[in-house]
Amino acid sequence: MFTRIPMPQGVARKLQTMILDGELKTGEKIPSQRELSEKFGVSRASLREALMTLETIGLVKTEAGRGTFVVGTSPESAKTMAEWRYSHTYSLREVFETRLMLEGEIAARAAGRLVADDLEALSRLTDDMERSWAARDYLANVEADLKFHAIIARACGNKMLSELYGQVRDQVTETQRQPIPITDPKRMEASVSEHRRLIAALAKGDARGARRAMSEHVANTAACAGY
C-alpha cells in the first residue's frame, strides 16, 4: 500500500541526501529558510520541522543569530544530543518510563498473535535498520524502527493499547532519534540483536520473553540517551 510521506519528512530526506552526497559540506552554513522553502516548494513551517528533525539526529546545528550549519556525518562530528523537543510537556525520562510500561505490555500481548507476514515484515525492517545505519541514512533507520514497533502495537489484541501507542507516537519518535548523535556503532549492533530476540519470542508466543526483550530494548535505548 502506498504511504504518503509527510511534507517535513520528505524535505528532511532531501536535505539529508544533500549532506551525504557532499552538496552541503561539513561546517557550511545552509541556505536561508526563505531560499530553501522556495527551492523545495514548501512552507517555512514544514522546513523548520525538517531542520529540527535533522538537528535531533545530529546532522545540522542551529546557532542563534548565525544560522544553521552542517555538522557532518562522521562519528566524531556530533557528540551531544539536541535539546528535548517536548520539554514543555514531558521530560525525556517520563517518555522512556512510559515506553517501558506501555511497549512491554504490548509486546507480551502480541506474542503468538502475529501472522507470518507480520513476522517477515519485522525481520525485513530489522535488516533495513541495519543497512540504513551502515549507510548513515539515519532518517530511514528511524522510519524502519517506527514501523517495526507499530506492527507489534497493531497486533496486541487490545484496541485501546494500540491507540495509546499511536497517541504518544510523536514523543516515541523523538526518543528514537534523540540518542543518534551519541550512539556508538556497537550499540546499534546490540539494538539489531535485541530486535531479533524480540521477533523470536513473538514468533514462539512467549509472552514473558517478549515483554522482557522489549523492556530490555527500551531500557538500553534510554541508557544510551543518558537515562
Side-chain angles (χ1 to χ4, degrees), residues 29 63-67:
K29 181 179 179 180
E63 299 181 12
R66 294 191 64 211

Side-chain angles (χ1 to χ4, degrees), residues 15-22 24-27 54 57-60 70-79 133-138 180-181 183 185:
L15 287 169
Q16 178 185 247
T17 298
M18 292 170 70
I19 293 170
L20 293 177
D21 290 349
L24 292 172
K25 296 177 173 56
T26 300
L54 293 179
I57 63 174
L59 292 181
V60 303
V70 177
V71 173
T73 57
S74 69
E76 295 76 22
S77 297
K79 290 296 182 185
W133 182 266
R136 298 176 299 170
D137 186 349
Y138 305 135
I180 284 177
T183 298

Side-chain angles (χ1 to χ4, degrees), residues 121-149:
L122 293 178
S123 181
R124 184 173 63 252
L125 288 165
T126 301
D127 291 341
D128 289 345
M129 281 179 253
E130 192 170 28
R131 281 194 297 267
S132 58
W133 182 266
R136 298 176 299 170
D137 186 349
Y138 305 135
L139 292 174
N141 176 273
V142 172
E143 288 166 14
D145 201 7
L146 287 169
K147 290 175 183 176
F148 180 98
H149 287 265

